[in-house]
Amino acid sequence: MRDSIFEALRSGATLLVASQRQARTLQIAYGRRMQQEGKLAWPSPDLLTWNAWLERCWDELSAPLSVNEKLVSRALLSPVQETMLWEAVIRRSAFGNELLQSRATARVVQEAWRISREWAVPFTSPDAAPNEDTRTFAIWSRDFDERCRARGWQDRARLADMLVEALAGGGLNAPKRLLLFGFEEYTSQQARLIEGLRRVGVAVEPVGPSSLPNTGVRHEFAGPLEEIAAAAQWARRRLEAGASRIGIIVPDLGAMRPQAVRIFDDTFAPGAVLPGSANAARPYNLSLGRALSQYPIVHTALQFLELGKGEMACEETGSLLRSPFLGGASVEWSRRALLDVACRQGEPLVRINNLLRLAQDRDREGSWRAHSAPLLAARLKNWRALLDSFPKKQLPSAWAEDFARGLLALGWPGDRPLDSEEYQTVEAWRELLSALSSLDEVADRMSYTEAFSTLKRMAGERIFQPKTPEAPVQVMGLLEAAGLEFDGLWITGLHDAAWPDHPRPNPFIPIDLQRRYNLPHASAARELEFARRLTGWLLASAPEVVVSHARRSGDENRRPSPLIAHLSVEEPETPGVIGALHRLVHESRPPLEQIPDERAAPLAAGTATRLGTGVFKDQAACPFRAFAHARLGARALDKPEPGLDALGRGILLHSAMERIWRNLKSHSQLCALTEDALRLAVREAVAGAVVEMARERPQTFTARFIALEQARLERLVLGWLEIEKQRAPFTVVFPEKEQTASHGGLTIRIVPDRVDEIEDGACVVIDYKTGTPKINQWFGDRPDEPQLPIYALSQNNVAAVAFAQLRKDDARFLGIAAEAGLAPGVEPLTGTKEAAALGSWNGLLAEWRRVIEALGEAFRAGDARVAPKEGARTCEHCDVGPLCRIREQEETLQIGPADET
């Protein structure tokens, strides 16, 4: 069949195909045929898709012909312009304010308009519409048509109809011979145009691929990933056996694309995981591209334009700062990484002025700080100056120019040379800006936010795939494979819930009309008929055809589609989803000698750290965590959340309590105040704490939030002070200088929440908690909360240690004292099982000293074992898991106590 098609092309015939993949495949095959005949150059064949041919015919009609004077004045709308026009029609209608997703509605309405034109479905007048949806569609369609006629616009859905009129008037220069390849069926509109071409003498000839015996074998797999992995291994074996045209069909390729890429890379290009190999040539090609906005170089451009709106989430800002596609990235990459860390230590949204302030931050001596990025700061200044110069509203074309200028000022797309994929992606971005410019015809003047939102939406809707060399293995969707020929074909995903597809009638066309005109997706019978024809085509497209399905998908059992149930079942080779690289490593490696490396270089006695008691808490939980945090400085990046999190509320409460006690100073002054005077003192203390934090977090502390937080804290503090009144007399002691403590040869900075001196000169150490602390967390060789024991050991003559649990419905003291009566809820030594076992108050302090000294000595000696205290529970919220890689150890699933690890 290809021989006859190529002969026709050589003689000047025009070949129209149903899909872009068919066009590319036949173009390549034609070129190879010419090369086989020894030709060094040849005329390009007149081979294009149906829609591309319609556009070319329309362009030819643009010549000033008197017979087509009516047609010449109409301008063809681009797909983007059409969608924007439909959106404008919907937004300005009576229902515009009621719709939450006008853009999504516009696309469904545009699809209904296209289908109704293609299949010659008569329009229903608004008065005769059977329901509100179809009545609304009739109104919107009438408005759309009137706008097109008034402005001289030609929509694409009626383009074929206009060409039929042009044929009748003699204004279309039609080809003498027209071949139609790969069309599974013809729409009513296509049939009318084909008939019109034949009436004017064009020889229209439907042609199809070579028909092979309709056979195949069927495989079943446990799940979709095993199915795709088996198909990839099968394709590799066929490729190694000499096959040059191998097809693999994945019906849900859009959803399965990431998994498919991983599996096929693992099978065909295991070295792609190595540095610098990401864009290496592969012997396979995935037909389905990604949204343009998902490509990193475009994502960076969109991020910076979004920052121009005023603010952006700190995670997005961090991604932007670490991007290689901004000017100066290779010089300032470490500084910009630290700038990312600095941006995360505040509000969840980063504003351009705050980013600029941090980027040009200097210390008191005028030197750049570690997180300063002067090259980035200079570009941000230029960008901010451009933002200030932009008008509030202007046409889309002006915004396209300004966006390009802004990105140029920022040094996009970076300093390093672009590879082929990046270069093509930049060109696609420039085409997108041109498409934005074309909206001048159909859109009003826009603000910056409106123009950017439109551009971002267009980038998300534009599916793009960089051009790559032709590959012998083609991975594609179901419809793309129709009409193609292969040496071998594997069709995955043919289970009963997916094939035939479920009917999906358009909600804006009356369902009875959809069924009467047998529209695509209108009924189960229509889907079955289409699936049966396409299945027959595919089973006859290769001498070897394999079909498969998963027996289970998610929580549901699957059976084979009834359209393939008649095929004989063969037991497949099941390689599993572990890839070739992993098998190569694990099967061919020699025996490995394991050398535990659990000890870092020891620290000198007296070594100081500013990390405080957290070093001891980490050492008790897992020695490696303490090593990573204190010595490597490894911590997860902060993720600021909207509002005030538990940590922020705790800091605010601590600040308020410190202020109130600096004012009251003692138990006696607390009890001496009248109720009104106490309320005033609490109000002032809370207000001071709130104002101080509001300066650092102005986005969170709005006027309404401040009022709510002020009232909440006042109630909480006043309720707590009532409990304080029940205590024996005391005076709050505030240290005049920073305190330190040394344990196990390690010196740390300590900041107790509060130390009270009682009448006999002894002291009570108090730690504020807004959660639900437990006293038993102070005990054992690896205490969960060693902070209060460390504070107690740093004071002279300690009589009690206690948590002050400040909760709305459960405010109380929890602690241990040398004797009863020091504070309500603070038990004497004998009242606690763990403490009573130590015999005396001095025995308790001695035990705490032994434990804390041992933890300090272990840390200073370099103990860095991966030894979580309570196994998986300790690791659950640990931020250094990727560094210690405990999940990759063989005993991961049953992590035992540290002593058994």
Side-chain angles (χ1 to χ4, degrees):
M1 178 60 70
R2 284 191 175 184
D3 292 340
S4 60
I5 292 175
F6 292 163
E7 285 302 320
L9 289 173
R10 198 195 305 258
S11 64
T14 297
L15 175 62
L16 303 186
V17 297
S19 71
Q20 191 64 46
R21 175 169 284 275
Q22 293 171 355
R24 185 181 180 188
T25 299
L26 290 174
Q27 284 273 15
I28 292 172
Y30 184 82
R32 287 176 178 167
R33 175 63 59 84
M34 296 297 102
Q35 290 176 334
Q36 290 171 1
E37 294 178 2
K39 292 184 171 22
L40 299 178
W42 55 88
S44 297
D46 194 19
L47 193 165
L48 60 171
T49 63
W50 174 271
N51 289 332
W53 179 71
L54 292 182
E55 290 185 33
R56 188 176 75 178
C57 292
W58 180 261
D59 291 339
E60 293 174 356
L61 286 175
S62 298
L65 299 174
S66 58
V67 66
N68 287 319
E69 186 176 350
K70 177 183 176 182
L71 298 175
V72 169
S73 62
R74 298 177 72 86
L76 182 63
L77 293 174
S78 69
V80 174
Q81 289 174 323
E82 276 196 45
T83 304
M84 180 65 72
L85 181 57
W86 277 111
E87 193 173 358
V89 167
I90 293 170
R91 198 167 47 243
R92 295 175 183 177
S93 69
F95 306 96
N97 294 329
E98 300 177 10
L99 294 171
L100 297 177
Q101 297 288 340
S102 59
R103 179 76 172 190
T105 304
R107 297 183 72 83
V108 179
V109 170
Q110 187 177 4
E111 180 72 6
W113 172 266
R114 180 187 63 79
I115 292 174
S116 62
R117 297 303 88 204
E118 288 181 346
W119 294 91
V121 178
F123 269 104
T124 303
S125 68
D127 296 334
N131 55 56
E132 186 175 355
D133 285 341
T134 54
R135 180 165 54 253
T136 303
F137 175 58
I139 294 172
W140 288 341
S141 298
R142 184 178 60 194
D143 191 5
F144 177 82
D145 182 55
E146 290 174 354
R147 290 182 182 225
C148 287
R149 292 180 183 277
R151 301 292 297 271
W153 294 332
Q154 175 62 53
D155 63 288
R156 291 170 180 268
R158 293 181 290 186
L159 187 55
D161 295 333
M162 300 301 291
L163 296 181
V164 171
E165 293 182 25
L167 280 171
L172 182 61
N173 184 20
K176 294 181 179 180
R177 187 181 181 189
L178 188 67
L179 306 182
L180 303 175
F181 177 87
F183 289 85
E184 192 274 332
E185 62 181 344
Y186 298 105
T187 67
S188 302
Q189 194 179 58
Q190 288 173 328
R192 286 197 307 274
L193 181 53
I194 291 170
E195 182 59 30
L197 289 167
R198 284 172 172 159
R199 279 199 299 267
V200 298
V202 178
V204 181
E205 306 171 25
V207 294
S210 303
S211 182
L212 297 170
N214 195 322
T215 60
V217 296
R218 177 161 59 91
H219 294 330
E220 296 182 357
F221 295 90
L225 294 183
E226 289 81 1
E227 184 182 9
I228 296 177
Q233 290 292 322
W234 170 86
R236 176 164 181 156
R237 291 193 297 271
R238 297 302 175 274
L239 185 63
E240 292 171 346
S244 60
R245 293 177 299 169
I246 303 169
I248 297 179
I249 295 177
V250 182
D252 198 13
L253 186 56
M256 296 291 293
R257 191 182 197 280
Q259 297 93 323
V261 169
R262 177 177 58 82
I263 289 172
F264 278 88
D265 267 356
D266 219 21
T267 302
F268 289 97
V273 298
L274 299 176
S277 303
N279 294 323
R282 292 162 169 76
Y284 75 90
N285 173 262
L286 264 71
S287 65
L288 183 65
R290 294 180 289 164
L292 186 61
S293 59
Q294 294 180 2
Y295 287 85
I297 197 167
V298 170
H299 185 63
T300 296
L302 290 172
Q303 283 179 316
F304 239 122
L305 294 179
E306 182 164 359
L307 184 60
K309 293 165 53 179
E311 58 189 23
M312 189 166 63
C314 65
E315 289 86 355
E316 287 291 303
T317 305
S319 172
L320 175 63
L321 292 174
R322 299 191 305 272
S323 172
F325 302 113
L326 295 177
S330 59
V331 178
E332 290 185 336
W333 66 269
S334 58
R335 286 183 170 274
R336 295 183 186 185
L338 293 174
L339 180 58
D340 175 22
V341 176
C343 288
R344 294 170 184 263
Q345 296 172 359
E347 301 276 28
L349 297 177
V350 177
R351 292 175 175 160
I352 188 170
N353 287 338
N354 292 338
L355 181 60
L356 179 57
R357 176 179 56 81
L358 289 171
Q360 56 187 4
D361 196 11
R362 295 177 183 265
D363 59 22
R364 293 179 179 178
E365 287 73 31
S367 301
W368 296 112
R369 295 188 182 273
H371 62 256
S372 301
L375 296 180
L376 177 64
R379 294 187 180 279
L380 283 173
K381 286 182 180 179
N382 294 336
W383 174 225
R384 189 176 61 177
L386 280 175
L387 288 173
D388 293 340
S389 70
F390 293 159
K392 290 186 177 180
K393 287 196 171 185
Q394 57 184 347
L395 289 173
S397 60
W399 281 123
E401 293 180 7
D402 286 341
F403 290 159
R405 287 169 53 209
L407 291 174
L408 182 63
L410 294 165
W412 185 88
D415 304 323
R416 65 173 176 80
L418 302 179
D419 60 31
S420 175
E421 178 178 309
E422 292 166 347
Y423 178 82
Q424 294 181 62
T425 308
V426 169
E427 291 302 306
W429 168 261
R430 289 172 177 154
E431 292 173 4
L432 195 72
L433 289 179
S434 297
L436 178 66
S437 297
S438 71
L439 297 182
D440 286 1
E441 295 293 327
V442 295
D444 296 329
R445 300 168 75 87
M446 298 178 171
S447 66
Y448 182 100
T449 299
E450 291 169 336
F452 169 74
S453 298
T454 300
L455 181 67
K456 184 177 181 180
R457 193 167 54 231
M458 290 167 58
E461 294 170 352
R462 166 79 187 278
I463 301 301
F464 171 72
Q465 185 175 30
K467 294 180 180 179
T468 57
E470 183 66 11
V473 179
Q474 297 293 320
V475 185
M476 66 195 82
L478 265 170
L479 298 180
E480 294 178 283
L484 300 182
E485 298 176 6
F486 305 95
D487 297 329
L489 176 67
W490 185 310
I491 312 172
T492 69
L494 294 186
H495 56 76
D496 58 341
W499 194 247
D501 199 0
H502 300 290
R504 293 175 282 108
N506 192 291
F508 291 105
I509 303 176
I511 189 64
D512 60 327
L513 281 180
Q514 295 190 56
R515 291 172 177 168
R516 188 188 314 165
Y517 284 85
N518 200 28
L519 300 189
H521 314 300
S523 66
R526 177 67 161 81
E527 292 300 301
L528 177 60
E529 174 192 356
F530 172 78
R532 182 178 287 118
R533 288 199 306 267
L534 185 56
T535 302
W537 270 33
L538 295 176
L539 291 177
S541 62
E544 180 184 7
V545 179
V546 179
V547 298
S548 63
H549 72 93
R551 289 187 293 269
R552 193 168 182 81
S553 178
D555 296 330
E556 299 181 359
N557 293 323
R558 299 299 188 196
R559 294 176 297 177
S561 165
L563 298 178
I564 63 167
H566 65 282
L567 298 176
S568 60
V569 181
E570 293 185 2
E571 190 67 25
E573 297 183 30
T574 54
V577 294
I578 298 178
L581 181 62
H582 293 84
R583 286 194 299 276
L584 181 64
V585 170
H586 289 285
E587 293 175 3
S588 64
R589 72 181 185 184
L592 298 180
E593 179 183 0
Q594 296 187 4
I595 303 176
D597 184 10
E598 299 177 337
R599 189 163 296 276
L603 300 175
T607 297
T609 175
R610 298 188 62 83
L611 294 181
T613 60
V615 174
F616 293 85
K617 182 176 180 178
D618 285 344
Q619 187 71 22
C622 176
F624 183 83
R625 185 189 298 181
F627 169 73
H629 284 168
R631 299 189 63 176
L632 299 183
R635 290 185 180 273
L637 293 174
D638 293 331
K639 295 182 179 179
E641 300 291 339
L644 205 59
D645 59 10
L647 177 61
R649 291 182 185 277
I651 293 173
L652 192 58
L653 179 63
H654 280 66
S655 176
M657 294 301 296
E658 180 182 354
R659 289 169 183 272
I660 190 66
W661 282 115
R662 284 190 179 277
N663 182 16
L664 297 175
K665 295 183 174 58
S666 67
H667 176 266
S668 59
Q669 291 192 41
L670 168 65
C671 295
L673 287 179
T674 64
E675 182 177 346
D676 290 341
L678 181 59
R679 286 184 178 277
L680 178 60
V682 169
R683 183 176 299 114
E684 291 176 349
V686 169
V690 170
V691 168
E692 182 181 26
M693 184 169 282
R695 291 195 193 101
E696 301 174 359
R697 306 189 65 175
Q699 297 173 23
T700 299
F701 281 78
T702 61
R704 178 60 177 161
F705 185 86
I706 288 175
L708 291 172
E709 199 62 22
Q710 175 85 24
R712 183 188 73 84
L713 281 175
E714 285 183 21
R715 289 193 300 269
L716 191 61
V717 173
L718 284 170
W720 178 254
L721 293 178
E722 291 301 316
I723 296 175
E724 295 273 17
K725 289 180 181 180
Q726 303 172 29
R727 292 180 54 190
F730 63 86
T731 300
V732 180
V733 178
F734 293 99
E736 297 181 357
K737 61 180 181 178
E738 183 179 273
Q739 293 181 288
T740 61
S742 296
H743 298 284
L746 187 67
T747 301
I748 60 171
R749 181 176 64 93
I750 60 171
V751 187
D753 288 349
R754 195 167 121 205
V755 177
D756 293 349
E757 184 178 311
I758 56 180
E759 289 183 315
D760 64 357
C763 66
V764 177
V765 182
I766 298 173
D767 193 40
Y768 296 123
K769 294 293 183 184
T770 56
T772 53
K774 298 178 181 178
I775 294 177
N776 61 10
Q777 295 175 324
W778 296 336
F779 299 99
D781 288 340
R782 302 174 71 176
D784 293 330
E785 292 290 345
Q787 185 180 48
L788 263 179
I790 293 174
Y791 290 164
L793 296 174
S794 66
Q795 305 297 322
N796 295 320
N797 196 16
V798 176
V801 290
F803 287 127
Q805 179 176 295
L806 280 79
R807 294 175 62 85
K808 178 182 177 182
D809 300 321
D810 189 19
R812 56 178 174 150
F813 279 108
L814 294 94
I816 305 173
E819 58 186 41
L822 293 181
V826 178
E827 301 287 343
L829 184 67
T830 56
T832 305
K833 179 178 67 174
E834 293 87 352
L838 298 174
S840 67
W841 183 253
N842 288 335
L844 171 64
L845 295 179
E847 173 63 12
W848 278 348
R849 187 175 301 280
R850 181 190 70 79
V851 170
I852 301 303
E853 289 287 330
L855 291 174
E857 289 174 359
F859 174 81
R860 191 174 60 81
D863 181 9
R865 292 170 298 137
V866 178
K869 175 185 176 182
E870 296 183 352
R873 193 167 73 176
T874 301
C875 298
E876 185 176 357
H877 300 293
C878 180
D879 62 340
V880 296
L883 188 60
C884 75
R885 300 170 67 181
I886 192 169
R887 300 296 179 188
E888 299 180 26
Q889 297 179 10
E890 294 180 357
E891 67 273 23
T892 298
L893 297 179
Q894 296 181 347
I895 301 175
D899 294 340
E900 301 175 10
T901 302

